[in-house]
């Protein structure tokens, strides 16, 4: 996950046994019994502000003993606990269920079931606090601002209002039938023998700090669908439906669809544009790199996510030079924060631009989106942004003019490392010594190569042969220099980077695996790279490690120096397939999909790099985001890449040449978006068929021609 602080860019710990629910830009973190405590990084967060910092339920003065917490949908969970007996003896007859749903706030249905033969008096109390802390304050456990607070009972509601400087925020806690005081909400009831009692409560941010809750969380009438459920239903209606003989992989893919749906957020200025947030709990916002990767990986499921992400990033493309936010003309941002008002965001601004790869990636993603058949007008409107991005690549991205794009932070609050491995110690030599910036990463040069070719193809497609030819030449020159300066002939692999003295940073890292996808790797070097990636030092049995076990900085429980990242592996799988290394790609994909079985079908952001021979289950990384956008889209990319499924609408084609392992079984997909229509795909073994192709599209039984092949065909490539 690409965010955070230089000491550790990983997500902050949320503690063992916590439950995270997410919906759009809202999320909730609680203990397994459903309680929220302000001294932990818990809470209900809406637009990067903690609107609920304490939410403790007690029955007859006792907190609940957790029995189980089951996530029903990404935004809804059922917590089941019991009321401990005051005498400490025997099993308690009182079971409490809390059915919680997150929207712009939370709604909770509390049910007490009495399994004894006697009626039981119950005093049900909720203690509630809202500290309106900034997300960064909570994540870093340094809540500093003290708001001036007022708590006012109004009928069966409690209004908590707080002011800080010129900001006013408030929430409304509603508990119909409760006694409401400034401190708590209390229900008094008698639960009949073998009977039950139930009530509903809700917490919603008030509109403009006033006393009226926003409609998004107001309880629906009986029989009506909640806003979160309605949003999910609309999502399910527009995405592909799939059936696989392998039920385990089917479950994982469906979980991916659900999580991707929950991670969608709207651009406040353009509600019709939906983009992908980076991940829960701490990164429910737009990120350049993460949102582009996730939407690129999800193209076969919903290509409109990538278009919305590109349009939103284009609106915020850099215009001026600002050393604090690291903004530069043409640069694509790293992250946006919605409600940050305390200057705790990176660079102290609501938008931070310290990413070296988001800018070329923007151009590459635009090329991918254009292939999936969006109206020429939508693509044409983004082409000037792509050209400005490439201008940034050539100037600000390559300040020393050596033909490679490198990064060095512009202020001491920015990220030290600005590629996807953005922890402070993420780029190092084989002996463990840290590389000194400016640093030119291998996969960034590969992204730039793809960006040149993507823009070249879009130019050729629009009839601008001269621009296409010059960009193709630029790409070819970059490829030549890259293979000359990054290849380590004595090691048989690529350097992860060049350091400030242009020395190859000689650690054996997974980054070179990502280069395969882009086609920048010379054909004669691919077998050696593939062999290295699949070596015992790199392949853990669950996936390719970020760093080899024989490297000086290797640590299986580090963030970027030996861990396994699902999205990294998905990109490597596509790269291996590009060069015909089918068996290796199948091994990695199958290992990752097996790993997902240990986490109910949801791959985490990363897991530890311990060998499968040593530990028979994948070892979780303590602070991994879950759900996380890259990880959610990884199973989609693994399966679609093994289907070798892709589109190029302007060339009138849909391509598929499946190499799914036999263990995956048959695959049946309906409602898959393609051009202006929807298609049905059937795969049995290596046989594929497609029904319902829109007019003008033809099914080809081979891999989609790569951009390099297309440019050569057009007489522009080498």
């Amino acid at each position: 996950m690409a965010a955070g602080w230089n000491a550790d860019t990983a997500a902050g710990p949320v503690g063992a046994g916590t439950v995270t629910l997410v919906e759009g830009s809202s999320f909730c973190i609680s203990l397994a019994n459903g309680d929220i405590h302000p001294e932990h990084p818990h809470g209900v967060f809406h637009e990067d502000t903690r609107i609920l910092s304490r939410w403790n339920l007690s029955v007859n003065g006792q907190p609940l003993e957790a029995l189980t917490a089951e996530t029903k949908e990404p935004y809804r969970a059922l917590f089941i606990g019991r009321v401990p007996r005051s005498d400490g003896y025997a099993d308690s007859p009182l079971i409490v269920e809390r059915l919680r749903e997150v929207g712009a706030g939370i709604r909770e249905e509390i049910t007490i079931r009495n399994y004894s033969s006697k009626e039981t008096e119950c005093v049900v109390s909720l203690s509630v606090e809202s500290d309106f802390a900034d997300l960064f304050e909570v994540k870093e456990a340094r809540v500093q601002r003290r708001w001036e607070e007022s708590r006012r009972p109004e009928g069966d509601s409690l209004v908590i209002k707080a002011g800080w400087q010129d900001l006013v925020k408030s929430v409304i806690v509603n508990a119909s039938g409760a006694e409401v005081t400034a401190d708590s909400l209390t229900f008094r009831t008698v639960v009949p023998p073998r009977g039950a009692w139930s009530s509903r409560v809700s917490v919603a941010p008030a509109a403009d700090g006033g006393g009226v809750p926003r409609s998004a969380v107001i309880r629906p009438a009986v029989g009506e669908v909640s806003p979160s459920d309605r949003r999910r239903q609309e999502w399910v209606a527009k995405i592909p439906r799939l059936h696989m003989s392998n039920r385990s992989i089917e479950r994982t893919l469906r979980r991916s669809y659900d999580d991707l749906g929950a991670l969608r957020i709207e651009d406040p200025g353009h509600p019709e544009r939906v983009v992908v947030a980076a991940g829960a709990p701490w990164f429910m916002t737009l990120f350049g790199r993460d949102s582009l990767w996730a939407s690129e990986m999800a193209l076969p499921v919903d290509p409109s996510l990538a278009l919305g992400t590109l349009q939103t990033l284009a609106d915020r493309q850099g215009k001026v030079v600002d050393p604090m936010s690291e903004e530069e003309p043409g640069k694509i941002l790293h992250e946006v924060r919605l409600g940050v008002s305390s200057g705790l965001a990176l660079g102290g601004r609501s938008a931070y631009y310290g990413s070296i790869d988001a800018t070329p990636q923007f151009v590459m993603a635009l090329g991918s989106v254009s292939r999936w058949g969006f109206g020429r007008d939508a693509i044409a409107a983004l082409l000037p942004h792509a050209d400005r991005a490439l201008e940034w690549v050539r100037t600000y991205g390559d300040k020393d003019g050596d033909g490679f794009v490198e990064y060095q932070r512009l202020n001491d609050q920015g990220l030290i490392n600005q590629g996807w491995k953005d922890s402070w110690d993420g780029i190092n030599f084989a002996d463990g010594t840290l590389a000194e910036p400016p640093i030119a990463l291998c996969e960034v040069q590969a992204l730039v190569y793809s960006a040149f070719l993507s823009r070249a193809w879009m130019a050729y497609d629009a009839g601008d042969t001269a621009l296409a030819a010059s960009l193709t030449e630029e790409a070819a020159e970059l490829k030549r220099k890259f293979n000359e300066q990054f290849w380590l002939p004595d090691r048989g692999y690529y350097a992860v980077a060049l350091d400030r003295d242009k020395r190859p940073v000689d650690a054996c890292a997974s980054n070179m695996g990502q280069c395969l996808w882009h086609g920048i790797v010379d054909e004669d070097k691919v077998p050696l790279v593939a062999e290295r990636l699949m070596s015992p030092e790199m392949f853990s049995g669950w996936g390719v490690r970020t760093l080899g076990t024989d490297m000086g900085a290797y640590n299986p429980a580090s963030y970027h120096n030996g861990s396994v990242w699902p999205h990294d592996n998905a990109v490597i799988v596509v790269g291996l397939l590009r060069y015909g290394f089918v068996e290796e790609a199948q091994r990695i994909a199958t290992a990752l999909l097996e790993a997902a079985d240990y986490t109910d079908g949801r791959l985490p952001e990363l897991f530890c790099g311990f060998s499968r021979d040593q530990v028979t289950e994948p070892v979780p990384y303590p602070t991994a985001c879950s759900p996380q956008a890259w990880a959610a889209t990884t199973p989609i990319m693994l399966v679609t890449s093994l289907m070798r499924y892709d589109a190029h609408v302007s060339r009138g084609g849909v391509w598929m040449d499946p190499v799914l392992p036999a263990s995956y079984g048959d695959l049946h997909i309906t409602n898959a978006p393609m051009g202006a229509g929807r298609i049905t795909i059937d795969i049995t073994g290596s046989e594929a068929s497609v029904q319902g192709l829109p007019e003008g599209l033809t099914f080809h039984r081979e891999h989609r021609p790569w951009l390099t092949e297309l440019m050569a065909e057009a007489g522009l490539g080498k």
Side-chain angles (χ1 to χ4, degrees):
M1 156 68 35
W5 301 82
N6 292 312
D8 179 10
T9 52
V14 293
T18 51
V19 177
T20 301
L21 300 177
V22 57
E23 170 64 4
S25 57
S26 302
F27 62 93
C28 170
I29 309 171
S30 69
L31 291 177
N33 71 352
D35 280 354
I36 289 167
H37 294 272
E39 63 273 19
H40 297 297
H42 295 169
V44 174
F45 296 80
H46 179 65
E47 294 182 351
D48 290 345
T49 296
R50 179 160 70 176
I51 62 168
L52 194 59
S53 51
R54 184 185 296 281
W55 186 245
N56 295 0
L57 178 68
S58 66
V59 178
N60 297 337
Q62 301 264 44
L64 302 183
E65 178 189 354
L67 294 175
T68 189
E70 182 177 287
T71 304
K72 302 287 189 182
E73 282 88 22
Y75 52 84
R76 181 186 287 119
L78 175 64
F79 301 86
I80 301 178
R82 64 180 179 178
V83 182
R85 285 174 63 121
S86 52
D87 56 13
Y89 292 108
D91 288 337
S92 164
L94 293 179
I95 302 294
V96 181
E97 298 170 7
R98 306 171 77 171
L99 183 62
R100 176 178 300 163
E101 181 180 327
V102 176
I106 59 167
R107 287 201 311 277
E108 191 165 304
E109 186 168 354
I110 303 165
T111 303
I112 301 177
R113 301 191 189 280
N114 179 8
Y115 287 95
S116 81
S117 54
K118 298 175 183 168
E119 66 176 29
T120 307
E121 286 189 24
C122 289
V123 178
V124 184
S125 187
L126 272 165
S127 38
V128 187
E129 291 176 14
S130 300
D131 65 359
F132 302 104
D134 204 72
L135 176 137
F136 276 90
E137 294 180 300
V138 179
K139 175 179 176 281
E140 300 299 317
R142 50 199 183 108
V143 178
Q144 290 156 345
R145 285 179 298 171
R146 290 287 172 261
W147 297 68
E148 287 188 22
E149 184 183 271
S150 70
R151 299 166 66 98
R152 192 177 71 252
E154 287 187 4
D156 54 13
S157 295
L158 172 63
V159 179
I160 304 174
K161 189 175 279 195
W164 179 75
Q165 293 182 1
D166 56 350
L167 281 174
V168 177
K169 297 195 176 188
S170 59
V171 294
I172 299 162
V173 187
N174 179 265
S176 185
E179 298 168 17
V180 181
T181 68
D183 299 315
S184 63
L185 304 97
T186 306
F187 299 92
R188 298 178 193 278
T189 185
V190 176
V191 187
R194 315 235 175 260
W197 167 89
S198 189
S199 188
R200 288 179 169 188
V201 290
S202 66
V203 182
D208 305 320
V212 182
R214 298 178 186 179
S215 59
V217 83
I218 292 174
R219 190 179 305 142
V222 176
E224 278 189 16
V225 178
S226 77
S228 300
D229 279 333
R230 189 179 308 113
R231 190 167 178 262
R232 180 172 184 267
Q233 287 169 5
E234 288 165 358
W235 167 245
V236 168
K238 73 182 286 196
I239 61 171
R241 288 184 285 279
L242 82 149
H243 297 283
M244 286 184 85
S245 311
N246 186 318
R247 293 290 183 232
S248 163
I249 298 177
E250 180 184 272
R251 175 185 73 160
T252 295
L253 282 165
R254 289 186 172 177
R255 189 77 190 259
S256 288
Y257 286 1
D258 263 1
D259 285 344
L260 184 59
L263 289 167
R264 292 170 304 143
I265 55 176
E266 291 170 1
D267 177 351
H270 295 272
E272 76 286 355
R273 285 184 198 166
V274 177
V275 302
V276 186
W282 304 117
F283 306 108
M284 291 307 300
T285 186
L286 176 69
F287 274 69
R289 177 191 309 122
D290 299 58
S291 300
L292 284 167
W293 262 132
S295 56
E296 171 108 23
M297 293 161 85
L299 278 168
V301 169
D302 181 6
S304 70
L305 288 175
L307 182 64
T309 299
L310 285 164
Q311 290 169 330
T312 306
L313 289 169
D315 283 353
R316 293 161 172 77
Q317 188 170 23
K319 294 181 175 66
V320 299
V321 174
D322 179 353
M324 278 315 290
S325 67
E326 305 206 35
E327 180 181 354
E328 289 166 334
K331 198 174 187 182
I332 298 298
L333 60 80
H334 174 57
E335 68 171 313
V336 168
R337 286 293 175 187
L338 297 173
V340 172
S341 50
S342 59
L344 283 174
L346 287 163
R349 309 292 167 89
S350 62
Y352 173 66
Y353 287 78
S355 160
I356 195 61
D357 42 13
T359 308
Q361 200 173 350
F362 175 90
V363 185
M364 182 186 82
L366 180 58
S368 302
V369 164
S370 74
R371 289 203 320 272
W372 278 80
F374 285 97
R376 283 185 177 271
D377 292 352
I379 303 302
L382 289 167
L383 285 177
H385 296 278
D387 292 335
R388 283 203 288 278
L390 288 179
E391 200 45 44
W392 177 88
V393 161
R394 297 183 187 101
T395 53
Y396 295 97
D398 180 17
K399 289 189 170 77
D400 61 7
D402 69 341
F404 296 126
V405 170
E406 53 268 309
Y407 62 83
Q408 180 171 23
R409 64 179 179 173
L410 303 181
N411 69 81
D412 59 10
Q413 271 184 274
L415 289 170
I416 292 172
N417 282 315
Q418 300 193 347
W420 83 263
K421 291 181 179 175
D422 60 0
S423 46
W424 66 276
D425 59 351
I427 307 299
N428 43 70
F429 286 84
D431 64 3
T433 311
L434 292 180
E436 295 282 343
I439 291 172
L441 293 168
C442 65
E443 79 276 14
V444 170
Q445 315 318 312
L447 273 166
V448 171
Y449 177 73
S450 268
F452 285 147
L453 287 176
S454 297
R455 183 65 187 94
W457 177 257
M458 288 185 284
Y460 179 76
D461 216 18
D464 190 344
T465 318
L467 178 58
S470 73
L471 285 161
T472 306
E473 207 171 295
E474 222 172 335
E477 177 61 14
L478 174 59
K479 180 173 180 173
R480 186 191 63 74
K481 290 180 68 172
F482 173 80
N483 283 280
E484 197 177 87
Q485 294 188 42
F486 279 77
W487 181 248
L488 305 171
D490 53 328
R491 305 290 184 92
Y493 59 80
Y494 284 91
V496 66
L498 303 180
D499 75 351
R500 66 178 178 189
D501 300 317
K502 305 301 174 189
R503 287 184 306 163
V505 180
D506 60 353
C508 185
S510 62
N511 305 53
M512 65 178 170
Q514 293 201 10
C515 296
L516 292 171
W517 183 20
H518 302 281
I520 198 170
V521 174
D522 281 344
E523 294 276 353
D524 63 329
K525 300 177 177 67
V526 177
L528 289 167
V529 171
E531 186 185 334
R532 185 62 60 145
L533 291 170
M534 301 311 295
S535 68
E537 292 78 23
M538 289 297 287
F539 186 66
S540 75
W542 297 113
V544 176
R545 297 180 178 97
T546 42
L547 192 68
T549 56
D550 51 349
M551 294 293 112
Y554 173 72
N555 172 358
S558 70
Y559 199 51
H560 288 130
N561 288 326
S563 52
V564 173
W565 285 65
H567 90 280
D568 187 28
N569 277 265
V571 177
I572 291 169
V573 163
V574 187
L576 288 167
L577 286 168
R578 174 172 186 150
Y579 287 96
F581 286 79
V582 172
E583 195 182 321
E584 291 81 353
Q586 290 174 332
R587 269 185 76 196
I588 296 171
T590 302
L592 280 168
L593 292 168
E594 286 171 356
D597 278 343
Y598 292 91
T599 43
D600 296 326
R602 175 189 276 169
L603 280 170
E605 176 187 20
L606 71 156
F607 42 88
C608 294
F610 297 104
S611 164
R612 195 166 179 170
D613 298 335
Q614 181 192 359
V615 187
T616 54
E617 296 185 10
V619 178
Y621 181 79
T623 62
C625 283
S626 186
Q628 194 252 6
W630 293 350
T633 47
T634 287
I636 296 167
M637 193 178 198
L638 292 173
V639 172
T640 52
S641 60
L642 289 169
M643 290 165 66
R644 293 203 280 206
Y645 169 55
D646 212 336
H648 201 142
V649 173
S650 70
R651 286 181 60 80
V654 176
W655 283 263
M656 201 161 17
D657 186 17
V659 286
L660 294 164
S663 62
Y664 291 25
D666 296 347
L667 179 61
H668 174 66
I669 300 173
T670 58
N671 201 44
M674 181 56 61
R678 300 271 159 174
I679 61 173
T680 296
I681 299 168
D682 280 289
I683 296 177
T684 305
S686 60
E687 293 305 312
S689 67
V690 177
Q691 275 90 44
L693 275 177
E695 199 178 329
L697 289 182
T698 308
F699 172 52
H700 301 278
R701 176 61 200 280
E702 57 187 338
H703 78 86
R704 176 184 61 76
W706 298 100
L707 290 175
T708 44
E709 295 167 339
L710 288 175
M711 301 318 283
E713 220 177 88
L716 298 168
K718 292 185 179 177

